[in-house]
RNA sequence: GGAGAGAUGGCAGAGCGGUUGAAUGCACUAGUCUUGAAAACUAGCAUGGGUUAACGCCCAUCCAGGGUUCGAAUCCCUGUCUCUCCGCCA
C-alpha cells in the first residue's frame, strides 16, 4: 500500500507513477472521495466529541445527585445523527481503502520503462553456455529416459501441470533443496523457517496477492477460506505482521523451503511442455526484514546469495533488471536470475529478487522501533527465490547431460546423493 | 468432537457501566547521587488518525465484528485464538 499522505499531497504525481507501473488512478473519483471523507470525518469527530463531553457531564451530575433528566433530553437526537455520520464515514473509508489496496507500488527511479520482458535490461552474465558435440535433450526426454519424471502419472493422479518424480531424480530434487538450505543458513546467515502451506486472507492481503490476484491462487473453503501458498514469501513475511521489532533483532533474515501452488490461470498456452510451469513446485525462499535505509543493499546482497547457489552448481546464468511493465505489483524493483537451459536454447527465470520498500510493511503493519526517535517505523521487505528447486533440477539435468543420456552430478551435491556420482538408467 | 476458563500497553498484571488511554510492577529513556557502575530516588514513556503555520486541540483503539446505553475495558450476541480436562489421532 502506498503512503496515504503521499496520495493526498501529490495525487497527480502518484497517477504518473501508477501509469508507469501499468495501473491507472481515477483522480476525479479520488478527489471527490477525499473531500467527502474530510468533511464527514470532521463532522463525525465533532459529534463524538460533543457526545463525550455531554455524557461526562451527565456522569458528574449524577454523582452529585442532581436531576439528570434535562441533560438526557438534550442529547436524545445526537445519537441518531452520530450513527448516520459514522456509517457514512465507514463507507467512504472502505471505498478509499479498496482503491488503495489495488494500487501497485511506485517503481524505483532506476527501473527502465518497458512493456514486457522484451524490454528487461541485461545487468550481467555469469558462466558460458557449454558447447555439446552431441544432440542435446531437454529435461522431459532425459527424465523419461531415466524413468525418473512421469508427467502422465501426474496427470492421472491430479491433472495437467502436475508431475511425479522418482528414484535418483527425486533424490536430486531433495539434494538441491538441502544444499540450498544449508548454504543459506551456514554461509549466508539466514534462519531456517518452517511455515504453514495454507494461509488466511489477511496474510495474502499483507503481501499483496489479494485483493487483486485471487485467480492465481488455489482456494479452500468458502466462509473463512484458506489459500494454498503461491510462495513462501506469504507465510514468512507475515511472521512480522502486526509486530514491532526491536532494533537489536534487525535485520531479520529467513530462509524457508516450501511447496508452492499456483493456479496459472491465464497461462494456458505457455510452457505446457515439461516442468517449467506447474501447479505445484518446490522453492527455497529468502526473506529479509530490514530498516528503511538498508533495503537497496539488502536487495543486492540477497540477489548475490541466490547467485551463489547457481555459481556453486556451475550453472550459467544472467541477471536481468525487470522493466516497468514486467515488475510485479508490490515491487519497487526486481532482479531476475535466468539460468541457461540447453534443452530450450534459452535463459529461463529461476529466481526473482524484489525490493518492496515499505509497501508490504504498510499493509502488514510491520514495524521496528527506531532507538533514535523511540518511535515505531515501517520496515522494508526484500525477498527472492534462492532458488526455485524444480527449475534448478531441470537446469542441472540439461546442463550436466552426457551423450548417453546420463546426468553427471555437480560436486557440491555429492554429499547429498549417497555416493552417487551420476544418474543413469 | 464434548466440558470448562481466558484474551487489557514492549512484558507481567489490576480494573463497582460514569471526569479510565486505562492502577501497579518490570523493561526502557533522562536526571540526581557516584571517580565510574550498580543500587536508591525523581521524571518521562502506547498506537493509529483528523485538524493546525506551529504550540496545541480533537477522535479512535483494552482479541475481532455486531448490539444495549446519554455513556462500555466493564453488560448481551457472534466469531477467532489460547489454556485445562475427556475422546480421537500422525
Amino acid at each position: 500500500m502506498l503512503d496515504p499522505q503521499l496520495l493526498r499531497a501529490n495525487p497527480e504525481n502518484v497517477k504518473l507513477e501508477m501509469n508507469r507501473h501499468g495501473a491507472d488512478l481515477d483522480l476525479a473519483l479520488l478527489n471527490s472521495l477525499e473531500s467527502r471523507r474530510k468533511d464527514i470525518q470532521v463532522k463525525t469527530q465533532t459529534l463524538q466529541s460533543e457526545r463525550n463531553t455531554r455524557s461526562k457531564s451527565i456522569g458528574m451530575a449524577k454523582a452529585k445527585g442532581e436531576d439528570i433528566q434535562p441533560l438526557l433530553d438534550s442529547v436524545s437526537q445526537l445519537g441518531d445523527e452520530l450513527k448516520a455520520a459514522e456509517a457514512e464515514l465507514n463507507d467512504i473509508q472502505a471505498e478509499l481503502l479498496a482503491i488503495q489496496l489495488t494500487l501497485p507500488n511506485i517503481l524505483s527511479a532506476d527501473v527502465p520503462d518497458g512493456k514486457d520482458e522484451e524490454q528487461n535490461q541485461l545487468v550481467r552474465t555469469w558462466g558460458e553456455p557449454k558447447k555439446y558435440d552431441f544432440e542435446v535433450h531437454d529435461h522431459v526426454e532425459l527424465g523419461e529416459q531415466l524413468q525418473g519424471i512421469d508427467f502422465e502419472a501426474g496427470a492421472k493422479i491430479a491433472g495437467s501441470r502436475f508431475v511425479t518424480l522418482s528414484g535418483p531424480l527425486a533424490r536430486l530434487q531433495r539434494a538441491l533443496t538441502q544444499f540450498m538450505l544449508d548454504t543459506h543458513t551456514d554461509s549466508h546467515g539466514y534462519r531456517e523457517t518452517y511455515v504453514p502451506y495454507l494461509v488466511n486472507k489477511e496474510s495474502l492481503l499483507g503481501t499483496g496477492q489479494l485483493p487483486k490476484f485471487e485467480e492465481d491462487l488455489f482456494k479452500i473453503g468458502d466462509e473463512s477460506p484458506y489459500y494454498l501458498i503461491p510462495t513462501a514469501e506469504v507465510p514468512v513475511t507475515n511472521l512480522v505482521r502486526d509486530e514491532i521489532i526491536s532494533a537489536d533483532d534487525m535485520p531479520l533474515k529467513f530462509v524457508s523451503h516450501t511447496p508452492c501452488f499456483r493456479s496459472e490461470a491465464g497461462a494456458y498456452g505457455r510452457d505446457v511442455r515439461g516442468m517449467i510451469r506447474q501447479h505445484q513446485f518446490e522453492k527455497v525462499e529468502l526473506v529479509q526484514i530490514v530498516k528503511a535505509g538498508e533495503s537497496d543493499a539488502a536487495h543486492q546482497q540477497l540477489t548475490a546469495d541466490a547467485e551463489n547457489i547457481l555459481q556453486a552448481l556451475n550453472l550459467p546464468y544472467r541477471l536481468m533488471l525487470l522493466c516497468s511493465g514486467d515488475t510485479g505489483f508490490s515491487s519497487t524493483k526486481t532482479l531476475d536470475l535466468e539460468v541457461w537451459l540447453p534443452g530450450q536454447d534459452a535463459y529461463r527465470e529461476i529466481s526473482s529478487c524484489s525490493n518492496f520498500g515499505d509497501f508490504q510493511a504498510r499493509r502488514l503493519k510491520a514495524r521496528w522501533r527506531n532507538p533514535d526517535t523511540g518511535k515505531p517505523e515501517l520496515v522494508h521487505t526484500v525477498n527472492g527465490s534462492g532458488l526455485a528447486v524444480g527449475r534448478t533440477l531441470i537446469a542441472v539435468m540439461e546442463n550436466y547431460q552426457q551423450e548417453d543420456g546420463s546426468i553427471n552430478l555437480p560436486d557440491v551435491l555429492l554429499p547429498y546423493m549417497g555416493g552417487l556420482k551420476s544418474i543413469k538408467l
Side-chain angles (χ1 to χ4, degrees):
Chain A
M1 200 158 82
L2 302 174
D3 185 352
Q5 303 293 353
L6 190 66
L7 201 55
R8 270 176 223 159
N10 213 339
E12 289 82 8
N13 197 38
V14 172
K15 183 185 169 78
L16 290 177
E17 294 289 352
M18 293 300 96
N19 291 344
R20 183 158 122 86
H21 204 160
D24 200 17
L25 178 57
D26 185 341
L27 283 184
L29 176 65
L30 184 75
N31 286 336
S32 88
L33 282 172
E34 253 310 308
S35 70
R36 277 173 62 208
R37 191 222 91 229
K38 208 164 182 169
D39 288 351
I40 289 157
Q41 184 158 355
V42 169
K43 181 181 167 194
T44 304
Q45 295 190 348
T46 307
L47 287 167
Q48 285 171 328
S49 174
E50 181 69 20
R51 179 204 59 196
N52 290 346
T53 53
R54 293 212 196 183
S55 291
K56 236 173 228 181
S57 68
I58 289 174
M60 286 190 278
K62 205 176 170 188
K64 287 187 213 149
E66 293 167 7
D67 178 18
I68 58 170
Q69 195 54 47
L71 289 168
L72 288 181
D73 295 342
S74 77
V75 278
S76 58
Q77 112 280 15
L78 192 70
D80 294 338
E81 212 180 327
L82 177 57
K83 210 170 232 175
E86 281 175 337
E88 198 179 347
L89 180 61
N90 262 339
D91 289 349
I92 290 177
Q93 283 181 326
E95 264 185 87
L96 279 166
L97 182 65
I99 292 173
Q100 287 169 5
L101 285 175
T102 58
L103 293 177
N105 203 350
I106 292 173
L107 293 166
S108 174
D110 58 347
V111 169
D113 283 320
K115 188 161 72 63
D116 55 29
E117 59 185 28
E118 298 300 315
Q119 277 87 52
N120 293 344
Q121 221 169 64
L122 176 67
V123 179
R124 61 173 174 267
T125 60
W126 185 93
E128 279 283 315
K130 207 170 134 189
K131 302 276 188 284
Y132 298 85
D133 52 11
F134 56 87
E135 193 191 336
V136 296
H137 299 283
D138 75 358
H139 68 282
V140 178
E141 293 159 345
L142 291 166
E144 282 172 355
Q145 272 169 38
L146 292 166
Q147 297 177 15
I149 299 184
D150 192 336
F151 290 98
E152 284 171 26
K156 176 177 69 180
I157 298 166
S160 70
R161 292 199 194 277
F162 287 93
V163 72
T164 66
L165 302 178
S166 64
L169 284 176
R171 179 164 188 159
L172 177 56
Q173 171 160 273
R174 175 161 59 89
L176 285 165
T177 307
Q178 298 274 78
F179 169 66
M180 291 178 199
L181 283 170
D182 286 350
T183 304
H184 292 311
T185 54
D186 297 341
S187 306
H188 300 156
Y190 291 82
R191 182 176 178 84
E192 185 165 352
T193 313
Y194 172 79
V195 290
Y197 303 157
L198 298 176
V199 295
N200 56 32
K201 255 196 161 82
E202 288 71 31
S203 293
L204 288 155
L205 218 55
T207 35
Q209 283 78 13
L210 289 180
K212 250 192 135 173
F213 306 102
E214 179 152 22
E215 73 279 5
D216 295 340
L217 302 166
F218 287 108
K219 183 180 183 181
I220 297 173
D222 287 322
E223 68 291 357
S224 57
Y226 287 118
Y227 294 85
L228 291 157
I229 56 170
T231 157
E233 163 193 351
V234 177
V236 173
T237 311
N238 271 275
L239 286 169
V240 296
R241 169 149 59 92
D242 294 322
E243 300 290 337
I244 300 173
I245 301 152
S246 100
D248 304 336
D249 295 332
M250 299 283 280
L252 295 172
K253 296 168 70 176
F254 301 109
V255 58
S256 187
H257 160 240
T258 70
C260 303
F261 303 92
R262 298 188 183 175
S263 79
E264 297 297 344
Y268 296 119
R270 295 187 68 191
D271 301 313
V272 284
R273 179 179 167 83
M275 271 181 68
I276 289 276
R277 192 174 300 275
Q278 298 277 292
H279 287 313
Q280 170 184 323
F281 61 95
E282 303 296 303
K283 185 155 62 68
V284 169
E285 182 76 2
L286 305 172
V287 175
Q288 292 200 28
I289 312 294
V290 304
K291 298 172 187 172
E294 298 174 0
S295 60
D296 280 332
H299 186 209
Q300 294 298 323
Q301 185 56 54
L302 183 142
T303 306
D305 294 337
E307 287 183 67
N308 248 346
I309 302 291
L310 286 166
Q311 293 177 9
L313 293 169
N314 205 21
L315 293 170
Y317 67 89
R318 62 181 191 183
L319 179 65
M320 306 294 288
L321 171 59
L322 298 199
C323 73
S324 56
D326 206 24
T327 301
F329 176 79
S330 302
S331 177
T332 62
K333 178 179 174 180
T334 297
L335 293 164
D336 271 9
L337 294 172
E338 297 183 344
V339 71
W340 176 253
L341 292 183
Q344 295 203 357
D345 200 32
Y347 286 99
R348 291 302 305 261
E349 177 188 338
I350 196 166
S351 171
S352 191
C353 303
S354 298
N355 183 355
F356 302 94
D358 62 12
F359 185 86
Q360 291 183 325
R362 188 170 289 106
R363 292 169 164 240
L364 292 161
K365 297 184 187 64
R367 295 161 297 172
W368 69 289
R369 194 174 294 277
N370 186 343
D372 296 338
T373 59
K375 294 290 170 195
E377 296 175 9
L378 292 172
V379 300
H380 279 200
T381 56
V382 176
N383 73 42
S385 352
L387 308 162
V389 183
R391 288 187 181 180
T392 311
L393 175 69
I394 293 172
V396 168
M397 289 174 69
E398 295 192 2
N399 280 281
Y400 282 81
Q401 64 180 293
Q402 305 299 305
E403 186 161 16
D404 63 359
S406 68
I407 292 160
N408 284 349
L409 292 171
D411 290 345
V412 293
L413 295 182
L414 296 184
Y416 300 96
M417 289 303 289
L420 208 61
K421 288 197 167 69
S422 142
I423 297 177
K424 55 184 67 136
L425 192 59

